[in-house]
């Protein structure tokens, strides 16, 4: 139902979903990948499916034209980062800090370090997420990365009762900050 609803959204950018592997497994790899593709979903991040166990999902996703985006943690050794970047499709998700997701008052230094490490080994776009909570932090991350992922700050607003207009205003605030800092990418 959520995937079908997303298929009706005209966001102006490719949409990527982030399900846990149990959802993919229960639906069936091929069925889930085909469902995403048929609803116009461009990619999937399956955060609890490690590189070494991607096999069946990766084949199904590739066959359906769905990009599997992999996560790279700050503690990942360089040889494994190379493997993650090589297998990731579309872009690479750099995890900005160790620990749980959530809003932070300041950006972890590891976010910029992670972006630099990934940019040194891949030509794919590198987006950094986890611990990015504001437009200022997004700008700080994008000094090194190609993009940013802000989840918890948006979800908190929604859980506190923000409607679509307030959520859109927060996203616009992020975008305004990024556009002001990086006018060439506007």
């Amino acid at each position: 139902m959520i995937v079908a609803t997303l298929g009706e959204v005209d966001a102006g950018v490719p949409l990527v979903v982030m399900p846990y592997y149990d959802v993919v497994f229960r639906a069936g790899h091929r069925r889930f990948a085909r469902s995403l593709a048929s609803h116009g979903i461009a990619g999937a991040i399956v955060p609890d499916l490690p590189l070494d166990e991607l096999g069946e999902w990766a084949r199904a996703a590739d066959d359906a034209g769905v990009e599997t985006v992999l996560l790279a943690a700050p503690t990942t050794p360089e040889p494994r980062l190379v493997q993650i970047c090589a297998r990731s499709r579309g872009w690479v998700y750099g995890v900005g800090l160790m620990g749980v997701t959530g809003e932070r008052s300041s950006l972890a230094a590891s976010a910029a370090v992670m972006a630099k490490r990934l940019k040194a080994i891949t030509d794919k776009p590198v987006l950094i997420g986890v611990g990015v909570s504001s437009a200022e932090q997004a700008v700080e991350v994008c000094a090194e990365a190609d993009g940013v992922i802000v989840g918890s700050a948006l979800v908190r607003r929604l859980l506190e009762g923000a409607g679509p207009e307030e959520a859109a205003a927060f996203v616009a605030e992020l975008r305004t900050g990024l556009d002001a800092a990086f006018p060439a990418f506007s």
Side-chain angles (χ1 to χ4, degrees):
M1 179 171 177
I2 293 171
V3 170
T5 301
L6 284 174
E8 298 170 9
V9 173
D10 181 14
V13 295
L15 296 178
V16 176
V17 297
M18 191 173 186
Y20 284 108
Y21 182 64
D22 63 329
V23 173
V24 175
F25 180 78
R26 290 194 64 145
H29 298 108
R30 275 201 191 112
R31 183 172 159 231
F32 190 76
R34 288 179 182 164
S35 176
L36 293 177
S38 71
H39 289 97
I41 307 301
I45 304 163
V46 187
D48 58 340
L49 184 60
L51 176 66
D52 301 329
E53 298 176 23
L54 275 179
E56 195 174 339
W57 163 251
R59 283 187 295 280
D62 287 349
D63 290 348
V66 173
E67 296 179 339
T68 300
V69 177
L70 299 180
L71 286 89
T75 56
T76 305
E78 296 302 313
R80 183 126 172 124
L81 279 183
V82 170
Q83 294 174 326
I84 289 169
C85 289
R87 181 55 190 94
S88 194
R89 301 293 186 254
W91 48 280
V92 181
Y93 189 138
V95 177
L97 62 88
M98 291 303 296
V100 295
T101 63
E103 293 179 272
R104 303 290 194 280
S105 59
S106 63
L107 187 66
S110 56
V113 171
M114 190 74 230
K116 288 178 188 175
R117 288 179 66 205
L118 290 168
K119 295 294 289 176
I121 59 175
T122 186
D123 291 332
K124 292 177 181 148
V126 171
L127 281 69
I128 300 293
V130 181
V132 183
S133 308
S134 68
E136 294 78 18
Q137 293 173 5
V139 168
E140 189 177 342
V141 165
C142 288
E144 301 297 338
D146 299 302
V148 63
I149 301 154
V150 179
S152 295
L154 176 60
V155 169
R156 178 188 52 80
R157 284 166 172 78
L158 295 170
L159 291 174
E160 289 176 351
E165 296 80 21
E166 292 92 348
F170 175 64
V171 173
E173 176 185 322
L174 296 169
R175 181 62 196 248
T176 298
L178 289 166
D179 288 346
F182 307 103
F185 299 107
S186 303

